[in-house]
Each structure stands twice: as C-alpha cells, then as structure tokens.
Amino acid sequence: MALLRQFAHGIRALFWKERVADELEEELHSFIEAAVAQKMRSGMTREEALRAACVEVGSVAAIKDNVHDAGWESIVECVWQDVRYGLRWLRKSPGFTAVAILTLALGVGANTAIFSIVNSVLLRPLPYRDPDRLVRVYFHNSGLGLRDVTFSKPELDDLTNRSGVFEEVSAIGGGSVNLTGAKQPERLEFVLIGFNYFSMLGATPQIGRLYGPQDFALGFSPNIVISDALWRRDFGADPNVLGRTIRFDGDPATIVGVLPPGFRHPGPTVSGDVEVWSAAGFSADPFPKPIRANRRLNAGVIGRLKPGLTLEQAQARLTAMAAEIRKDFPTDYPPQAQWTIEIQPLQEFLVGKVRPMLLVLLAAVILIVFIVSLNIANLLLARASGRQQEMAMRLALGASRGRMIRQMLTESLLLSLLGGLAGIVTAFATLDFILRFAPASIPRLSEVRTDWVVLAFALLISLLTGLVFGLAPALHSAKIELSLAIREGGRSSGYSSKTGRLRDVLIVSELAFAVVLMVGAGLLLRTLRDLLREDPGFNPSQVVAAKVWLPIPDNPNEDPYRGIAPKVTFDRELLRRMMAIPGVELAAITSDLPTTNHILNDPLGSDALAIEDRPVESSQDLRAERIRISPDYFKVMQSPLMRGRAFTEGDEDGKPPVAIIDETTARKYWPASDPLGRRVRFGQDPTLPWMTVVGIVKDIKSDGLDIDGVPHIYVSTYQSPDRATSVVLRTSLPAAAIEPQIRHEIQSIDPGLPVFNVSSMNDVLDRSLASRRFSADLVGGFAGLALLLASIGIYGLLAYMVSQRSREIGLRMALGASRSNVLKLFLQKGVALAGIGIVAGVVFSASTASLMASLLYGVRPHDPTVFLAVPLLLFAVAVVASYLPARRATKVDPMIALREA
Amino acid sequence: MTDKNSDLVQGTLDMLILKTLALEPMHGYGIAIRIEQVSKGVFQVNPGSLFPAFRRLERSGWIKSEWQATENNRRAKYYILTDAGRRKLKTETREWGRQIAAITRILEA
C-alpha cells in the first residue's frame, strides 16, 4: 500500500511535472505571502517585510531542488539524463560503438545460444510427471566386471513386489522394426515396454488411449501406440487411424492411441525418435520362460521411486534386496558373480554422456565473454583517458565523484545492454544453425528453445560484462586529480603510468584467456584430426552401404526366414542381384557395419565365448563381438587378411563351422600361441559345435574410430545368419545414384523389406565423428574469435599509446633517437605484454587441461604440439599486431609532433 | 539569520511537523512559525528543509494536503494529519522518549 502510494506520487511527479512544479511554486508563494503578512503585523512596511521574508526563505530554486530530490522520481530522472547523455556519447563515436556492440553481440550471442542447449539438455527437468523420482535400474555381475547385464522376468518382478521402493517399474527394450501395411515399407524405431510405462511417465494420449489393464497380455499385446510424427507422416493425421491394423515385423498390430507431439521416449535410440510403442508381459512366447535362470531379457529398466525416498535410501534397500535374493537362490546366483542392482537418476542416464562436451562448450563461450569484456574495458579506458578534461571540468563544476562513477557505469551498462540485445538477436539467429550441425547423439535436442531462463541468463551475462568492463574506467575517472587534469587539459594527457598499468593487466589477462581457449580448441581439433587419420582397418572410399532387416514375426509359422536355409537363400539372392547392378564391382554382407555398432551400447554387443581346452571358470570373462559376414566382405572393405584364409561359398550350413578372428582377439586370447586351427564357440551351451579359427584379419574399427581393444570374431553368414543385414558394395558410383536400384532389387526379392541408411562408407565414418566434429568446430571457431579479439586488443592498446605519445616520440627523435630505437620501444612493449599473457595462459591451461581428458582420444591433455603451437601462433599474431602501430610511431614527424604539442 | 535547523537531530523535523499538525490542519508558514514559537526560537525551520519534509511525509501517507482559504482569504496549502500519521506520531514520540531517557542516563552516569 505504502509502496503503491510512493509509486503513484512519483509517477504523477514524472508525468505531470509542470502541474506539480506549479503547485509547489504557488505553495512557496503563499508561504512568502504569509511571512510578509506576519512581518507587517509586527510593524514592518511591505517592502521591508518582503525583503526579510525573501532573505528568510532563501533561494526558491534551491528549495524546489530539495523537494524534488526527496522523491524517487528524481533518481529516475537522473538516470534518464545519464542514459541520454550516454546515448549521445555512443553516437558521437560510431566506430567504437560498433566494435563494442559487435563483439558483445558475438560474446553474449554465443553464450546465449550454447546456454540454450545446456539449459534444455542438462538443466531443465525431464518432461515427465515428477521427473526427479524417475530412475534407470541396472543389474550388474560386479564380480565378473559385467555391467548392465540381461535379466529374467522374476528379477523384474522383484523390483515391483519385493523391493518396496518403486511405485512403478517398466522394461524399455529399444530397437528398430519393419513397418508394413501403412504406406511403403519403413524402418522405424520402436520400444518394447511394460503396461504401466505410460502411467509411470504421466503421459496422456492425443487421441485414443494408452495402455491400461485391459490390454494385459503375457506375451506381446496386440495393440500398439504410435507417435504423432508417424501418425502425420503415414496416416495424414487421420483420426480414424484408431483400430487400424499395421504389420510390425510381420505381426499384425492394432493402433489404439496416438501420443501428443511433445512426448519422447526417455532412452537412447538407434537412429531417431521412437515412433512405435509396444507393450508386453514378458512371460509368454516369444519371451523366455519366466524363471530366474532365464536371464535373457535384453532391455533397460526404468522405475518411479515412491515419494519421499531419497536415491540413497532406495539404493541401500536394493543392495540389501540383491543380497537376500542371492542367498535365497544360491544356484541361480553364483557367489563369484556378485549379482547386484544399481539405480541412477533417469536424467543422468539420458544426458550424462554429453555433459562433458556441453560443459566444455559452455566454458569456451564464457572465456569468450571474458575476452570481449576485457577488450571493451581496454577501449573504454583509452577513451576515459581521453575524457579526463571533461571529467575534470564536471568535478570542478561540483559533480560528486560518486555521481561521476554512476554516470560512467550507466554508459557502460547502456553499452552492455545494447550489446546484450544484439547478442540475443544473434543467439536466435545462430541457434538453429548450431543445432543443424549438432549430432543426433545429443539427447533432448528437440526440446531446445530460448525460454525466459535463457533470456534472463543473457541479460545477466550482459549486465555482468557491463560491470566488468565499466568498473575500471569508472573508478579511474573518479580518481582524476582535479588540478592536474585541468592543467593538462589543454592538450592530450599522455599515457599516464597509472592507467597504463591497469590497461597492461587487462591485455595480459585477455591474452591468457585466449591461450586457454586456443589450447582447448587445439586439443579437440588434434583429436579430431587424429581420428580422421586413424586407420579404420578398411578402405572406406568407393564403398556404398545399405541396411535391410529381415522381420521376426511372433508367430513362427508366419516367418519366411525361419531357420538357416531361407536366410542363406535370401543372402545369396541379394548378393547376386547386387552384383548385377551396373557399376558394382563386388558385394558382400555383414551383420554390423563398421563404426555404427556402439550406438546403443548394448551389453549383448559382445557375446560370451568359450575356448576349447580352457577351463570353464576362466571363460567367464571371455567375450568377443560376433560379426556375421559373407565370403567377399574383407575384399569389399579391402581389409587385409594377415594370416589364414577368408570364408568361401563352401563355408555353409552342414560344413565344419569356421571363424576368423581379428588381431585384438589373437593378442588377447592367444598371446603366446598360434590361434590358427584352435576352436572356439559362442555361448555356454556345451552342445553347440566348436568353430575352427581359419584366419586372422587386421583390426577393423567396428565400434567407432575412438574405440580400441574390443575383440571381434567373424563367422560365416551362411553358417550363422543374422536378421540384421548390411550390404556393402564396392563401386565408384555415389550412394544416391544407386540407391533406387538397391531398393528395387531388394524389394524384388521381398516387397515387404524396407531398405534404409543407404550411404557411402565415408559418410558412415563421418557420422560416427559427428559429435567430436561438432565440439571441435565450435570450440575452434571460438578460439579463432579469441585470437582475433586478442590481436585487436594489443593493436588497439599500442595504437593508442603511439597516438598519445607522439609528442614524446617527436622529442626523442629530435634529440637523436633513430627510427629503429622508436620501433623497438613500442615493439618491446607489445612483445613483453604478449609474453607475460601467453606464459600465464599456458600455466593456467596446463593446470586445467586434464578436465578435458574424457573428450580426447590419442592426444594427451598436455600434448606438447598444442602447447607449443598455440603460444607460437599467438605470439606471432601479437608481434604483427604490435608491429603495425610501432611502425606508425616511426613515421612521426618530429617537427609536426612538437609544433602541434 | 542562522539556520538552526542543522542542529535538529536527523528525522526529528518530521516528528515536530506531525506534532504540530496534531492540533489542527495548518499551512507551511503556520507550521514553521508554530515550531519556532513553541521552541521559543530555538528551532527556526528553514523552508529548504520544511518543504522536502512535507513531500516526504505526504509520500509516506502520514499527512495529506488540501488547498484552503487562509484567515485573510488567500489560498494556501493546508496539511492535515492522517490516521496513519497519528499512529506514527505516537510511536515516534514513545521512541523519542526512550532515547532521551537513555541518553540522559548515560550523560548523568
């Protein structure tokens, strides 16, 4: 109430200024009248009384001023005056203003754009009901060093029924699936879920319904829920889609609901957003029998904790429960496995992996904003020295020093707000651009937007920069020695040692920050370059790859590819048709295309292995990734076979099983002996036949260029086929040119097969580096910006020094200093500053570089090349930036300089 | 004329104005005269501090103003104590009493 009145009065005084002033005038007038009347009563004449009263009242103007100052609106007016003055001052020097606002726009813009991403991906809670209670559940065999292992249905039930910490639990099994019966055959992301998945996440349908108790089935439910995107793409957003049946890996499924556009599955996906949700009871065909030993469910588990439970409490209870279960079922849980359960916040599970990268980006843009601030502080300081006379005059006319600081700060804040505004515009313009290059592996990218948190952040950043770069010149202006400034005022005040030192410090820190940023960029770029130079173990040029997936219907009788023979027939027919495409030299099949293997981080990516004549206990941690290939695979990929032979058409079902191992497998499992002729098999089943090792192939980077040391065993696709089929073609044709033919040929074999991810092998490799390229390019760009700003800073400082000291230079030259003396004078200054800044930056980088270790590959955080190249580059730029103004100094004509002075 | 106002303890002018207005509504000059008379000339209130004080008190809602005719039929702005002002005066007076007593105790100790 009181505040409101203050406000109302103030507003009235601001907007009806004249009326308020008139009223005060009249009141003062009546005051004097009353005084005169009073004095006349005590016997004075009117003139005497009037004079006495006027003396008593004093200056009417001063009273008006006092009254005015009593209200808050006077401060507003004062600030407004400062703002107008500041704007005038900015307009007066358009060059400086443009540079300052432009660099600020870059600094604030980069910060805002990157922070938009950080905020949406890392900071904002997940878009589900009570997101802080959602967790990811893992089962580990800690004793065997196996994390996130598969589980059985009873173990899943324990979480719900026995642990007492979960409100709801759901398995989430991701994968992709062939969709037929809608438009054309399509490869879609789907997720296999429990029936309470949607209620756990608090999802509501756009149309239709989500799973409820009435859908319950022991195996797969016949009903599915689809995404908004699929609904629009394949069904034209038709509301009558409900009840329609589509084929989903051959199985009929009825659409019962469509999710709203914003809903996304909280889990990693293979190649895009999940579009089909399919629920199951996990207890009947095709799922393994629900007994403990059948630990074959290959899915993730998410759960909602009961309210009021902390993560630690829940974890403690689950650890205890795992111990009880191990005790209750000793045969199912061998003690050496140390089977246990772990939970992790769902948000951490989703975004934990990209956090280091995003934080490095954020650090980079914060460094940029520091550098921008320091640069502008320097420019402002130079101008402040130039304005000493003006300041001295104001001080002499009675301005208080506080008032002067306020005015200087107002000007700086004005500048920073203008820059911030430009920065927000820049951020809006660049965010889409940045996002276009952002790798799909960053989760939640679709949620990225510039909300009020981001705008507040941008405002805060600009105000902080304004304070940082405004404070130095403001304090400086307040320290002006009045008499000195006025005396010097007639001419330029020279490069006084006090501001000079402050400016030196600013430049040195600017350079140091630039070094830190450049070292970070150098490390990331070197990592990227090393990875690009890394030998992938094959020759990616002139290879086109395409993917096909042979569906697995739940009903085995509807499966056209059941057993080995039909799949082998398909493979052979596929290869025959591919080879017939004009321009294709050679074709082969693999179950796993190099560098695309790791995306799901599937714990089953590697299979348990047994080696003949090795004790079973030691075979617990024998694992290798199994890759099924056709005979010509190594020829198409041009991967050299080191020893032994490749597969032949004869290595088919019914013939002795054979295997080819890579060098890592050979080194790891036969360090001292010859693996050729040894026998291995996958799985623990003693009835499976042994496979004879017939060849050793060079390591192929199957799991990504930056993943080493995973053992791989290749088996013949004719002996052990897989539904996942990638075909690789050696051809000089571009992928886009032969894609229609590839699709046509494959769909001539089976019209229901979607053909997807047709691209050149070079693009496949490139995509696997998308995330590293993204961060390296961005940080590299920021480092370039830092270099530019730092050189502008040095150049600006020295150029200013030269112009301020031209009289001194003239004098020196008149007294006999040579041009090279003068050149040295300024060059030395610039080189000294650069040297100190660079050394400081190198020391700081060296102490922080290890924070980036997780983003590096093949490069140590203290990589000598980077730590040598960056200082040299920066130093060279600093020398050039100092040389230009120094040379100008030598062009000073002593006569002119002295006369002008 | 000496400005005795600087001798006034900070904030007491407001209290004196409120006290003066507690008797009846008054215009500015009336208030100044009354304070001077009652204090037997110890406090001579200068308009340079009086008018800002009016503005402050009015903003705080302790007094309000009204243009009225004076005894000799001129227009003058009369200040009137509000209920809030009356309460304020009471607490101020009590507080002042406490402080004076405390200061007196210290000086006499």
Side-chain angles (χ1 to χ4, degrees):
Chain A
M1 185 55 208
L3 257 174
L4 200 69
R5 189 169 39 233
Q6 285 275 358
F7 183 70
H9 277 269
I11 292 294
R12 181 167 167 265
L14 270 179
F15 289 96
W16 286 275
K17 214 179 200 166
E18 305 220 326
R19 245 176 73 189
V20 171
D22 284 352
E23 208 166 285
L24 181 62
E25 177 94 42
E26 197 185 342
E27 194 182 354
L28 278 167
H29 194 72
S30 82
F31 186 94
I32 292 173
E33 280 299 329
V36 168
Q38 168 80 15
K39 287 182 198 311
M40 282 169 71
R41 268 204 294 282
S42 61
M44 289 190 189
T45 66
R46 188 167 166 83
E47 283 75 44
E48 284 170 341
L50 195 60
R51 197 177 311 127
C54 284
V55 166
E56 228 168 81
V57 169
S59 157
V60 172
I63 295 176
K64 283 182 184 167
D65 254 16
N66 282 349
V67 171
H68 180 251
D69 284 350
W72 60 263
E73 71 274 9
S74 65
I75 298 171
V76 172
E77 275 182 0
C78 196
V79 168
W80 177 231
Q81 205 177 25
D82 282 355
V83 166
R84 271 187 321 193
Y85 185 83
L87 283 174
R88 235 183 5 249
W89 169 76
L90 288 177
R91 259 206 310 274
K92 227 167 52 190
S93 40
F96 162 79
T97 308
V99 168
I101 291 184
L102 199 72
T103 49
L104 268 173
L106 285 173
V108 175
N111 261 281
T112 309
I114 296 296
F115 183 74
S116 300
I117 300 179
V118 169
N119 179 49
S120 308
V121 176
L122 297 185
L123 303 182
R124 260 213 307 258
L126 295 176
Y128 309 107
R129 183 164 60 87
D130 297 335
D132 48 326
R133 280 161 52 201
L134 293 173
V135 293
R136 170 79 157 84
V137 187
Y138 299 96
F139 301 96
H140 301 315
N141 282 331
S142 316
L144 304 178
L146 297 178
R147 299 176 61 77
D148 197 10
V149 297
T150 53
F151 55 91
S152 61
K153 181 67 170 58
E155 287 165 353
L156 191 59
D157 293 339
D158 285 338
L159 295 178
T160 331
N161 306 331
R162 185 164 174 168
S163 74
V165 300
F166 291 108
E167 217 168 61
E168 282 174 302
V169 169
S170 169
I172 46 162
S176 43
V177 73
N178 291 357
L179 172 84
T180 46
K183 276 187 173 168
Q184 56 168 344
E186 247 188 301
R187 189 69 182 160
L188 292 182
E189 288 284 315
F190 92 104
V191 62
L192 174 61
I193 54 175
F195 288 98
N196 50 0
Y197 169 92
F198 289 115
S199 64
M200 175 168 76
L201 296 177
T204 47
Q206 183 174 197
I207 59 168
R209 60 183 176 82
L210 304 178
Y211 288 113
Q214 73 270 37
D215 293 295
F216 188 79
L218 286 172
F220 272 102
S221 160
N223 301 332
I224 57 166
V225 172
I226 64 171
S227 72
D228 175 72
L230 178 62
W231 182 47
R232 287 175 196 282
R233 193 176 62 234
D234 278 12
F235 303 99
D238 178 5
N240 295 324
V241 74
L242 301 176
R244 262 188 71 169
T245 298
I246 53 174
R247 292 209 167 243
F248 182 59
D249 254 18
D251 294 319
T254 307
I255 299 171
V256 294
V258 178
L259 282 160
F263 185 86
R264 277 182 183 77
H265 169 65
T269 53
V270 179
S271 58
D273 288 325
V274 166
E275 304 204 286
V276 175
W277 284 259
S278 172
F282 297 97
S283 315
D285 272 345
F287 296 100
K289 241 195 170 138
I291 55 172
R292 272 183 197 278
N294 261 344
R295 229 167 269 130
R296 294 201 335 248
L297 290 179
N298 170 23
V301 178
I302 57 176
R304 168 183 297 285
L305 294 179
K306 286 191 171 157
L309 270 180
T310 67
L311 202 69
E312 290 73 30
Q313 289 165 338
Q315 179 62 63
R317 172 69 198 117
L318 288 170
T319 309
M321 182 183 79
E324 291 163 24
I325 292 174
R326 286 200 304 261
K327 215 161 72 208
D328 292 353
F329 307 96
T331 48
D332 291 326
Y333 300 92
Q336 72 270 21
Q338 289 174 37
W339 182 82
T340 185
I341 305 171
E342 190 192 8
I343 52 175
Q344 177 191 32
L346 190 61
Q347 180 143 4
E348 183 63 29
F349 162 66
L350 285 180
V351 304
K353 272 190 204 137
V354 296
R355 179 173 292 127
M357 180 186 98
L358 289 180
L359 290 185
V360 162
L361 286 182
L362 194 62
V365 289
I366 287 175
L367 280 175
I368 283 285
V369 115
F370 276 152
I371 294 172
V372 165
S373 305
L374 291 170
N375 223 0
I376 297 180
N378 228 328
L379 288 172
L380 279 174
L381 212 49
R383 295 169 54 84
S385 317
R387 283 168 84 186
Q388 279 199 1
Q389 200 192 347
E390 175 202 333
M391 293 298 155
M393 188 58 78
R394 291 172 145 233
L395 275 176
L397 289 178
S400 71
R401 286 176 197 266
R403 183 72 187 68
M404 304 256 292
I405 292 183
R406 199 163 74 193
Q407 193 214 318
M408 295 290 280
L409 271 182
T410 307
E411 287 172 6
S412 310
L413 289 178
L414 194 64
L415 196 59
S416 71
L417 282 179
L418 286 175
L421 222 58
I424 290 173
V425 173
T426 313
F428 270 112
T430 52
L431 186 58
D432 281 344
F433 182 74
I434 294 178
L435 285 178
R436 201 169 320 144
F437 290 96
S441 59
I442 298 181
R444 308 183 73 193
L445 274 185
S446 56
E447 293 173 41
V448 172
R449 73 188 72 88
T450 312
D451 57 8
W452 63 269
V453 177
V454 171
L455 291 182
F457 176 83
L459 196 69
L460 186 77
I461 286 273
S462 17
L463 285 179
L464 279 179
T465 51
L467 275 180
V468 168
F469 67 62
L471 218 51
L475 292 178
H476 165 69
S477 77
K479 274 203 212 118
I480 291 173
E481 285 295 328
L482 192 52
S483 56
L484 214 68
I486 297 261
R487 211 178 321 128
E488 282 189 6
R491 49 175 187 261
S492 60
S493 54
Y495 189 82
S496 76
S497 66
K498 212 188 285 168
T499 62
R501 212 169 311 129
L502 185 53
R503 305 194 60 197
D504 292 352
V505 170
L506 292 178
I507 278 288
V508 164
S509 4
E510 187 179 339
L511 282 165
F513 284 132
V515 168
V516 175
L517 193 45
M518 286 166 71
V519 164
L523 291 173
L524 291 176
L525 286 168
R526 230 178 99 81
T527 297
L528 183 66
R529 199 201 52 174
D530 281 8
L531 282 171
L532 288 172
R533 286 191 182 172
E534 184 93 353
D535 177 10
F538 61 93
N539 176 9
S541 43
Q542 304 203 341
V543 175
V544 171
K547 290 194 172 190
V548 195
W549 167 266
L550 303 182
I552 319 176
D554 293 341
N555 181 351
N557 299 324
E558 283 185 21
D559 184 358
Y561 300 105
R562 193 172 164 202
I564 293 179
K567 171 67 175 37
V568 170
T569 314
F570 172 82
D571 282 353
R572 291 207 154 121
E573 179 63 11
L574 175 67
L575 288 177
R576 191 189 66 75
R577 285 176 177 269
M578 292 297 114
M579 304 273 267
I581 297 176
V584 172
E585 296 164 31
L586 200 59
I589 284 170
T590 175
S591 56
D592 298 277
L593 214 50
T595 73
T596 63
N597 225 3
H598 64 295
I599 298 173
L600 267 183
N601 267 330
D602 182 353
L604 286 195
S606 64
D607 298 275
L609 187 71
I611 299 177
E612 195 177 28
D613 302 331
R614 292 229 181 146
V616 180
E617 296 84 71
S618 74
S619 76
Q620 286 280 20
D621 52 350
L622 292 183
R623 299 183 88 80
E625 274 181 35
R626 170 166 34 179
I627 299 176
R628 284 95 162 173
I629 58 169
S630 69
D632 287 331
Y633 179 65
F634 296 130
K635 258 193 234 159
V636 172
M637 303 304 274
Q638 296 183 348
S639 300
L641 203 61
M642 311 308 285
R643 300 189 48 205
R645 66 169 177 90
F647 296 135
T648 65
E649 290 294 318
D651 291 324
E652 53 190 354
D653 195 27
K655 302 279 172 57
V658 286
I660 296 173
I661 62 174
D662 65 0
E663 290 175 296
T664 303
T665 314
R667 254 198 318 276
K668 196 163 176 184
Y669 297 136
W670 290 277
S673 55
D674 184 2
L676 281 189
R678 302 298 175 111
R679 303 209 298 171
V680 296
R681 74 177 161 222
F682 283 106
Q684 318 279 348
D685 183 352
T687 63
L688 287 171
W690 291 102
M691 305 184 292
T692 309
V693 176
V694 296
I696 302 175
V697 72
K698 195 174 153 146
D699 280 336
I700 292 179
K701 298 256 173 177
S702 256
D703 314 275
L705 290 171
D706 46 2
I707 296 177
D708 299 308
V710 180
H712 296 97
I713 294 185
Y714 298 88
V715 299
S716 169
T717 188
Y718 298 144
Q719 293 182 330
S720 168
D722 194 349
R723 305 278 174 155
T725 304
S726 291
V727 46
V728 284
L729 310 175
R730 184 148 286 279
T731 171
S732 50
L733 295 173
I738 57 169
E739 175 167 359
Q741 280 162 290
I742 297 176
R743 177 163 290 119
H744 172 78
E745 293 298 337
I746 292 177
Q747 292 181 346
S748 316
I749 313 176
D750 182 342
L753 292 181
V755 177
F756 51 101
N757 290 359
V758 181
S759 60
S760 77
M761 204 58 216
N762 267 325
D763 288 349
V764 172
L765 271 185
D766 237 40
R767 265 201 299 278
S768 76
L769 292 176
S771 162
R772 290 184 179 277
R773 192 184 298 271
F774 176 67
S775 50
D777 284 356
L778 271 184
V779 177
F782 294 144
L785 192 61
L787 183 65
L788 183 71
L789 289 171
S791 51
I792 292 178
I794 287 212
Y795 175 86
L797 176 74
L798 288 176
Y800 176 75
M801 263 171 69
V802 169
S803 72
Q804 293 287 291
R805 287 171 69 177
S806 63
R807 198 168 70 99
E808 180 203 325
I809 298 165
L811 199 58
R812 278 170 186 258
M813 289 173 89
L815 291 177
S818 68
R819 289 189 188 276
S820 67
N821 285 148
V822 172
L823 188 71
K824 226 171 82 186
L825 181 73
F826 287 98
L827 213 51
Q828 251 172 5
K829 175 80 180 173
V831 165
L833 289 179
I836 299 173
I838 289 171
V839 168
V842 166
V843 170
F844 188 59
S845 308
S847 57
T848 52
S850 51
L851 293 176
M852 287 181 59
S854 70
L855 292 179
L856 304 181
Y857 172 83
V859 178
R860 278 175 305 127
H862 296 127
D863 181 59
T865 319
V866 170
F867 272 83
L868 212 64
V870 164
L872 281 180
L873 175 63
L874 192 52
F875 193 75
V877 170
V879 168
V880 173
S882 327
Y883 177 75
L884 295 177
R887 204 186 50 179
R888 184 134 30 94
T890 66
K891 301 269 163 66
V892 168
D893 184 333
M895 286 313 291
I896 295 175
L898 289 174
R899 207 178 306 131
E900 271 184 354
Chain B
M1 164 184 158
T2 51
D3 184 3
K4 291 274 182 67
N5 187 42
S6 58
D7 291 341
L8 272 173
V9 179
Q10 185 80 39
T12 45
L13 176 60
D14 290 5
M15 186 173 68
L16 297 184
I17 294 172
L18 292 180
K19 174 68 191 169
T20 310
L21 289 178
L23 305 172
E24 56 179 337
M26 257 181 231
H27 55 68
Y29 186 71
I31 296 171
I33 287 297
R34 174 68 60 86
I35 291 176
E36 191 179 335
Q37 285 172 350
V38 172
S39 71
K40 300 209 181 338
V42 173
F43 297 138
Q44 289 182 358
V45 191
N46 167 315
S49 11
L50 198 58
F51 282 84
F54 290 156
R55 171 73 56 102
R56 258 196 321 271
L57 293 170
E58 204 173 356
R59 283 287 176 86
S60 307
W62 293 324
I63 60 176
K64 55 186 183 189
S65 60
E66 223 168 72
W67 287 93
Q68 288 176 7
T70 62
E71 52 271 33
N72 36 12
N73 265 337
R74 289 182 181 280
R75 253 164 67 82
K77 202 178 195 179
Y78 275 74
Y79 291 100
I80 305 153
L81 196 62
T82 63
D83 291 346
R86 215 170 285 281
R87 280 196 297 277
K88 177 71 181 169
L89 176 62
K90 212 177 274 174
T91 58
E92 285 281 292
T93 314
R94 204 180 313 126
E95 182 58 20
W96 178 253
R98 253 169 34 82
Q99 285 182 3
I100 288 297
I103 291 169
T104 312
R105 272 199 300 280
I106 293 167
L107 291 180
E108 289 173 354

